[in-house]
């Protein structure tokens, strides 16, 4: 039981490049989330999903897209990376109104 | 809209001393409350949660928190800290029927010194 895993762990992009972050969970959770963590700002919700095939915007969705084609996977895409998207990205999953389980994070640097 | 305030960005404390990390929230509806801990270069781990029932909640590693509805607070306490408790602590709130979305505070860095 791996819990929540994220791929890759580190990535460096140049401005304008695109990439996809993969989140996978093996707990059969319905809900999945993408957050970004920046110093002094806590974690902010980017997008989330309440079930396979659904997605919704969070607090800071601009510049990101997501897809949930399979229940266990939640993908976060950056179509044209900007330096402002340099951050640590965390994926989480949960079942209904219980605690969220977090992945180890992806550290992204955009130069 | 919900919000969470963690007034102390850093809390230095000596080993074996007690500590309290403060958390206040604002919400017009019933809430669920959480404390998470983040060790360096790691993800977040749940310390404890309040969903309903007893207002005193006990968590892992000897931590506890008390839900105070009238003061809209959920302060985290430990009677005697250890060096290994050095980490960043986040308070978070979600509300019933809200898709379980969490709103986080900005975090409190607990530094335990010898």
């Amino acid at each position: 039981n791996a819990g929540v895993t994220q791929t890759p762990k580190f990535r460096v992009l140049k401005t304008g490049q695109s990439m996809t972050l993969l989140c996978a969970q093996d707990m059969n959770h319905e809900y999945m989330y993408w957050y970004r963590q920046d110093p002094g700002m806590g974690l902010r919700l980017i997008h989330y999903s309440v079930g396979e095939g659904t997605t919704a915007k969070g607090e800071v969705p601009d510049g990101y897209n997501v897809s949930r084609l399979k229940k266990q996977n939640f993908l976060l895409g950056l179509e044209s990376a900007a330096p402002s998207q340099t951050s640590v990205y965390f994926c989480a999953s949960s079942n209904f109104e219980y605690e969220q389980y977090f992945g180890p994070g992806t550290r992204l640097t955009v130069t | 809209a919900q919000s969470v305030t963690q007034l102390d960005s850093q809390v230095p404390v000596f080993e074996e001393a007690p500590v309290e990390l403060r958390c206040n929230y604002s919400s017009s509806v019933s809430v669920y409350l959480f404390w998470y801990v983040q060790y360096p270069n790691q993800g977040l781990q749940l310390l404890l949660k309040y969903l309903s029932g007893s207002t005193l909640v006990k968590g892992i590693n000897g931590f506890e928190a008390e839900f105070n509805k009238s003061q809209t607070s959920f302060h985290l306490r430990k009677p005697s800290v250890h060096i290994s408790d050095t980490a960043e602590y986040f308070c978070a709130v979600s509300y019933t029927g809200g898709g379980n979305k969490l709103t986080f505070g900005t975090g409190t860095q607990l530094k335990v010194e010898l």
Side-chain angles (χ1 to χ4, degrees):
Chain A
N1 194 343
V4 180
T5 58
Q6 293 182 231
T7 309
K9 289 185 169 50
F10 303 93
R11 186 72 186 268
V12 178
L13 286 181
K14 295 186 177 179
T15 298
Q17 288 185 320
S18 63
M19 78 164 294
T20 300
L21 306 183
L22 170 63
C23 176
Q25 53 96 3
D26 61 2
M27 297 174 283
N28 202 34
H29 285 168
E30 290 293 332
Y31 294 7
M32 296 187 75
Y33 314 81
W34 276 107
Y35 295 90
R36 59 177 290 171
Q37 182 180 26
D38 302 291
M41 303 189 75
L43 279 78
R44 294 178 292 167
L45 183 64
I46 304 171
H47 286 281
Y48 66 103
S49 167
V50 299
E52 182 179 315
T54 75
T55 63
K57 293 180 180 180
E59 181 185 353
V60 289
D62 294 342
Y64 305 95
N65 57 76
V66 288
S67 64
R68 183 112 181 258
L69 298 180
K70 293 183 179 180
K71 186 176 182 179
Q72 63 268 33
N73 295 337
F74 195 29
L75 278 64
L76 177 71
L78 286 72
E79 290 186 347
S80 179
S84 61
Q85 293 177 306
T86 293
S87 187
V88 181
Y89 292 86
F90 287 100
C91 177
S93 70
S94 74
N95 255 347
F96 308 109
E97 290 172 335
Y98 296 110
E99 67 266 27
Q100 294 182 16
Y101 293 81
F102 284 80
T106 295
R107 189 172 296 274
L108 174 65
T109 301
V110 182
T111 61
Chain B
Q2 303 168 93
S3 66
V4 178
T5 302
Q6 292 182 248
L7 287 172
D8 306 305
S9 59
Q10 294 186 48
V11 173
V13 62
F14 288 109
E15 194 174 34
E16 297 184 6
V19 70
E20 177 179 84
L21 306 184
R22 297 180 294 169
C23 173
N24 288 88
Y25 68 93
S26 67
S27 176
S28 59
V29 297
S30 296
V31 296
Y32 300 140
L33 294 156
F34 305 85
W35 274 100
Y36 283 87
V37 60
Q38 184 180 33
Y39 299 103
N41 300 313
Q42 293 187 26
L44 277 72
Q45 178 183 359
L46 182 71
L47 268 181
L48 48 79
K49 63 188 177 193
Y50 171 80
L51 303 180
S52 65
S54 173
T55 58
L56 183 62
V57 179
K58 293 190 183 298
I60 62 171
N61 301 340
F63 284 93
E64 64 180 32
E66 186 157 18
F67 171 54
N68 188 320
K69 189 174 181 179
S70 63
Q71 297 188 2
T72 59
S73 68
F74 191 55
H75 300 333
L76 181 71
R77 301 185 183 99
K78 186 170 183 178
S80 176
V81 296
H82 189 266
I83 286 285
S84 58
D85 293 323
T86 294
E88 188 149 26
Y89 293 79
F90 292 95
C91 181
V93 61
S94 67
Y95 62 94
T96 56
N100 204 27
K101 292 181 290 182
L102 284 175
T103 299
F104 283 88
T106 52
T108 297
Q109 180 66 44
L110 175 65
K111 185 174 182 181
V112 181
E113 303 167 349
L114 290 173

